[in-house]
Amino acid sequence: AREAARRSSCRSNLKQLGLALHNYHDAHSAFPGGYYSTPVSTAAEASAAGADSGTWDAGPGWGWGTMLLPYLEQSNVYAGFDLDQPLWAAANRPGAATKLNVFLCPSVSGGDEAYTVRSEAGTPLDPGGGNLLLGRSHYVASHGQEECWSRCGDTGSGLIVTNIRGNVSTATQSVVINGDASRVADGPFFRNSATRMRDVTDGTSNTIFLGEHSSQLSEKTWVGVVPGAGTHPNIGSPDNGVDSAATQVLVHAGPSGGENDGVNFIIHPVNFPTLHVGQMYSEHTGGGHVCMGDGSVRFVSENVDLFTFAEMSSMNEGEVVSVP
């Protein structure tokens, strides 16, 4: 009975977040960006912006969760931020460490207090000096099938699978990124995204926007992304490891990077045993909740067909998905 109540509370949180997304879209004619970074398209521009050399992530770093605060009855927290400054600026630190219940699933056992941002090497990372704390989130936004964070500072993206059920000879390509994550991402949220309702051509009721990620697996935040940070797994598996800063707020369904050779895809839906920090993960029995683009909340079984989950994660690949 207690777990049923916790699941209901978690579902309610995602409903509120889904409604906030739609209210944001009504006000701005687009959904919030996955996170915001100074746009750069060359290594010289990245250096001038003080961006991380590997990913080209730069300030201000604010994430989708921060942008939704006025639509979540958190206007006081939002008003306390200077969004023209990086999220780690001195004036923004008190608000950035705030614990907000709407971003917390009561079933999670991995912690709900603010956490210390760490570098990929595991040491505390604070661009402003000191100890940077970020408010925790148990909800993440979908980047789609592909990922573009560790490689988005490169001119080339490597192997890209544009449609997971497509013919391998035509579905793989190497494209020039030049810092533009939209060249890779096929989900609604990515660096500097501004997805509109009409961009979700697969249908908002068929496209996952948000989902769960327990801090039992890794730390996530509602605040945003700190360039150069690492997301560290708290559960060991042969397939997981430290990932880039973008995974503080975003996840994807796969395939990605070296996890596929164009033929053998590794797809990780909710609770998949690869236990990547860049996948959805829930402590509910049997699966986890997702919020679809139409604002509805569904419980996805951890035994869902892998390809179906990947197709539900993309917004514009033309796949026909029957969502139960």
Side-chain angles (χ1 to χ4, degrees):
R2 286 192 294 269
E3 171 55 18
R6 289 191 288 262
R7 281 178 59 158
S8 178
S9 178
C10 179
R11 181 183 182 91
S12 176
N13 286 345
L14 276 171
K15 286 287 288 185
Q16 291 183 64
L17 293 174
L19 179 60
L21 283 174
H22 279 254
N23 288 337
Y24 183 98
H25 189 284
D26 289 344
H28 299 274
S29 300
F31 295 107
Y35 65 98
Y36 294 100
S37 174
T38 302
V40 297
S41 57
T42 67
E45 290 179 358
S47 178
D52 177 73
S53 60
T55 62
W56 291 4
D57 285 336
W62 300 106
W64 61 271
T66 297
M67 298 299 105
L68 295 185
L69 293 180
Y71 309 96
L72 295 169
E73 300 182 353
Q74 298 295 336
S75 295
N76 289 340
V77 178
Y78 185 79
F81 289 135
D82 181 354
L83 298 182
D84 293 326
Q85 298 295 318
L87 65 85
W88 54 86
N92 293 323
R93 288 170 180 260
T98 303
K99 178 179 176 179
L100 298 175
N101 288 332
V102 70
F103 289 104
L104 301 174
C105 170
S107 291
V108 167
S109 63
D112 55 14
E113 300 297 331
Y115 66 92
T116 299
V117 178
R118 293 182 288 165
S119 68
E120 292 194 15
T123 57
L125 175 69
D126 187 347
N131 183 37
L132 179 60
L133 297 174
L134 295 183
R136 201 181 292 268
S137 176
H138 299 150
Y139 305 108
V140 287
S142 174
H143 194 275
Q145 294 177 12
E146 303 292 341
E147 62 94 348
C148 186
W149 33 75
S150 59
R151 300 171 300 177
C152 270
D154 301 328
T155 54
S157 66
L159 183 66
I160 299 300
V161 182
T162 58
N163 186 320
I164 203 161
R165 285 195 187 273
N167 183 283
V168 170
S169 64
T170 60
T172 59
Q173 57 181 322
S174 182
V175 298
V176 175
I177 296 301
N178 287 340
D180 182 2
S182 68
R183 299 296 303 275
V184 177
D186 60 2
F189 297 98
F190 46 90
R191 182 168 67 192
N192 295 331
S193 60
T195 301
R196 299 160 297 179
M197 198 77 74
R198 66 172 181 252
D199 296 327
V200 190
T201 55
D202 288 350
T204 55
S205 62
N206 294 328
T207 303
I208 295 172
F209 272 46
L210 307 175
E212 295 187 66
H213 185 97
S214 169
S215 48
Q216 185 184 73
L217 177 55
S218 73
E219 286 85 10
K220 308 296 184 191
T221 179
W222 56 264
V223 184
V225 168
V226 179
T231 304
H232 296 260
N234 296 323
I235 302 175
S237 88
D239 295 298
N240 72 355
V242 181
D243 214 332
S244 299
T247 52
Q248 293 177 316
V249 297
L250 303 176
V251 296
H252 69 124
S256 68
E259 294 177 349
N260 73 81
D261 56 10
V263 179
N264 300 306
F265 304 121
I266 295 181
I267 305 169
H268 29 76
V270 179
N271 295 356
F272 200 63
T274 48
L275 298 176
H276 283 280
V277 298
Q279 74 177 65
M280 292 184 186
Y281 184 78
S282 164
E283 291 188 55
H284 302 302
T285 301
H289 295 102
V290 296
C291 178
M292 311 301 287
D294 63 355
S296 64
V297 176
R298 303 174 184 271
F299 190 83
V300 175
S301 168
E302 59 192 35
N303 298 311
V304 65
D305 177 80
L306 303 187
F307 284 97
T308 297
F309 187 83
E311 291 166 350
M312 291 166 60
S313 299
S314 62
M315 66 178 183
N316 55 10
E317 293 288 6
E319 301 122 337
V320 178
V321 182
S322 178
V323 180

